[in-house]
Amino acid sequence: MLNLSLSNQQLTNIANQYGTPVYVYHAEKIAEQYKNLTTAFAGQDVKIFYACKALTNINILKHLKQLGSNVDCSSINEVKLALHAGFPPDRVVYTSNGIAFSEIEEAQSLGVHINIDSLSNLEKFGKKYGHTYPVGIRLRPNIMAGGNLKISTGHDKSKFGIPIDQINDLLRIIEETDLFIEGLHIHTGSEIKDVEVFIQGIEVLFELIPLFKELAFIDLGGGFKVPYRKGDHQTDITHLAQKVGEAFANHPNPNGRPLQVWFEPGKYLVSGSGYLITQVNVMKQTNATHFVSVNSGFNHLIRPMFYDSYHQITNLSNPEGEEKHYSVVGNICETDTFAWDRKLHEVREGDYLVFANAGAYGFEMSSNFNSRFKPAEVLVKDETFHLIRRRDKFEDLLNNQIEVL
Ligand code: LLP
């Protein structure tokens, strides 16, 4: 089993105090992950931008700001949340993808860094701002990487970034509109365990760097793999740091300016800090399996159904019970299997089951499907529990609706 950073007792107390389902985040675990990164890259000019799409609760943003992190955003609203959390604009990067130009204009007016991912928006940007506002370019390096196709973004059929084979068009636009290119960005996927993939990306960029005379940074995106079960592979951050250091040392920047290296980790910073605690509604023995239905579903944690992701499940209420096989499912009106034929300590109706690795893309991808409430969120910091989002109430379901009949 993975070692959980919060004890069964703490998680049980939270479930008793705030009810279930409830998301729980552990501030010190996030701090530990952040420290791992900064320690590994100490001595290199590396900046960490938390990819806040993983989890945008304002307290998580503030926590990461206090830790010294910068922030990477994937929508203008994330940019506004980051600014609301107190990040100064120069600590915010908006890595856009297929967005309306008006959002880029808004980001420009807010003074944040912007990575543009299409020739079309780049040309509009150049025509409007010329050399007055530095901008980054999101490139598609044509590298296949990531845990599965749904989360692979750098390959040659991916919608993300400007394909490197269109470099001549790109250079023409830059020249014609006198753009000020401050950075080159790539993000090849999520759950990349192989450090070589990052180095491959850097090698692709080394070919292009000499073409950009005003570069200040290379942004290598996020995608570090985290462990989901004991013994699971994860990205070896120390090895990565060493390889990145070597790569840049062997290719001094031909423009004569030392390049900063940026990373945008989401999962690495928050996945393992998060838990979803649920309660068992119903036990159902069938010919196929012994079902455990919890008071949740893919409306709260969609990763197992959407990406076949594995989340360790622990029975908080019966940790010494005899181990048996169960299939853990949700209570919504579709097949929403969290785990099939999973060994758990004997489960009884009313028990609390906790899902690990629920910090990244858990609450953030939740919905009100079946008109069920989104869970509450609790932050554990310095051993103290803080409610950081109340559970939905019935009125929330009607909140934005306009009754015309
Ligand atoms: N930077 C960019 C431009 C990205 O698109 C992403 C993630 C990241 C950074 C952060 O990647 P991370 O370090 O978290 O792997 N919902 C999926 C993951 C989708 C990731 C989308 N982009 C999941 O739950 O596995």
Side-chain angles (χ1 to χ4, degrees), residues 122 137 170-179 181 212:
L122 197 65
I137 307 173
L170 175 64
L171 292 174
R172 182 185 46 77
I173 290 171
I174 293 171
E175 188 168 337
E176 279 173 14
T177 62
D178 192 24
L179 274 158
I181 305 301
F212 299 90

Side-chain angles (χ1 to χ4, degrees), residues 40-326:
F41 284 101
Q44 296 188 44
D45 197 2
V46 166
K47 275 191 175 179
I48 304 299
F49 289 74
Y50 165 53
C52 73
K53 71 196 79 185
L55 178 61
T56 52
N57 186 291
I58 201 74
N59 300 281
I60 300 295
L61 294 177
K62 287 184 177 178
H63 181 48
L64 276 147
K65 181 178 75 80
Q66 281 161 15
L67 291 171
S69 181
N70 307 282
V71 65
D72 166 58
C73 303
S74 59
S75 75
I76 194 71
N77 292 333
E78 285 186 359
V79 169
K80 290 178 185 170
L81 284 172
L83 297 175
H84 180 84
F87 284 94
D90 67 343
R91 281 173 63 185
V92 179
V93 60
Y94 180 8
T95 299
S96 65
N97 134 60
I99 63 170
F101 185 64
S102 55
E103 258 193 41
I104 295 186
E105 292 175 301
E106 203 174 348
Q108 188 276 344
S109 73
L110 294 170
V112 301
H113 295 282
I114 310 168
N115 289 324
I116 295 187
D117 89 316
S118 66
L119 291 179
S120 156
N121 274 337
L122 197 65
E123 186 159 26
K124 287 178 197 156
F125 195 88
K127 283 189 174 147
K128 178 148 187 189
Y129 303 106
H131 206 263
T132 63
Y133 197 91
V135 73
I137 307 173
R138 179 171 187 176
L139 294 164
R140 195 191 72 192
N142 298 344
I143 294 173
M144 179 57 95
N148 63 63
L149 201 53
K150 279 199 184 116
I151 53 177
S152 295
T153 49
H155 58 84
D156 65 1
K157 293 193 177 53
S158 157
K159 68 169 184 173
F160 296 96
I162 299 170
I164 48 167
D165 31 289
Q166 294 174 10
I167 187 75
N168 289 336
D169 296 322
L170 175 64
L171 292 174
R172 182 185 46 77
I173 290 171
I174 293 171
E175 188 168 337
E176 279 173 14
T177 62
D178 192 24
L179 274 158
F180 179 168
I181 305 301
E182 65 166 348
L184 297 181
H185 172 283
I186 55 172
H187 169 79
T188 55
S190 194
E191 311 209 345
I192 305 169
K193 62 173 185 294
D194 191 358
V195 163
E196 280 311 312
V197 169
F198 291 95
I199 303 307
Q200 241 180 297
I202 296 176
E203 298 292 339
V204 170
L205 293 177
F206 278 140
E207 302 274 307
L208 307 176
I209 288 170
L211 305 172
F212 299 90
K213 301 295 175 211
E214 294 168 302
L215 276 193
F217 68 84
I218 295 296
D219 184 342
L220 296 174
F224 306 148
K225 165 113 179 54
V226 295
Y228 289 93
R229 39 183 134 195
K230 199 173 175 63
D232 224 358
H233 288 292
Q234 53 181 315
T235 314
D236 182 341
I237 298 296
T238 312
H239 185 51
L240 174 71
Q242 187 198 334
K243 288 293 220 179
V244 169
E246 280 169 15
F248 279 91
N250 293 336
H251 287 81
N253 178 20
N255 309 328
R257 287 180 61 186
L259 287 176
Q260 211 164 54
V261 178
W262 294 8
F263 285 103
E264 304 165 351
K267 279 178 187 160
Y268 186 83
L269 289 172
V270 297
S271 174
S273 79
Y275 304 85
L276 172 63
I277 314 175
T278 63
Q279 190 163 25
V280 178
N281 282 341
V282 175
M283 302 291 301
K284 187 187 281 184
Q285 179 72 61
T286 70
N287 287 340
T289 187
H290 198 171
F291 284 111
V292 176
S293 295
V294 296
N295 58 353
S296 188
F298 73 55
N299 48 335
H300 297 156
L301 180 64
I302 201 170
R303 301 194 70 255
M305 304 82 185
F306 206 42
Y307 310 108
D308 290 326
S309 63
Y310 180 98
H311 290 258
Q312 179 175 295
I313 304 174
T314 310
N315 185 352
L316 294 176
S317 310
N318 195 18
E320 304 300 327
E322 188 192 339
E323 286 192 314
K324 297 183 178 175
H325 283 85
Y326 300 96

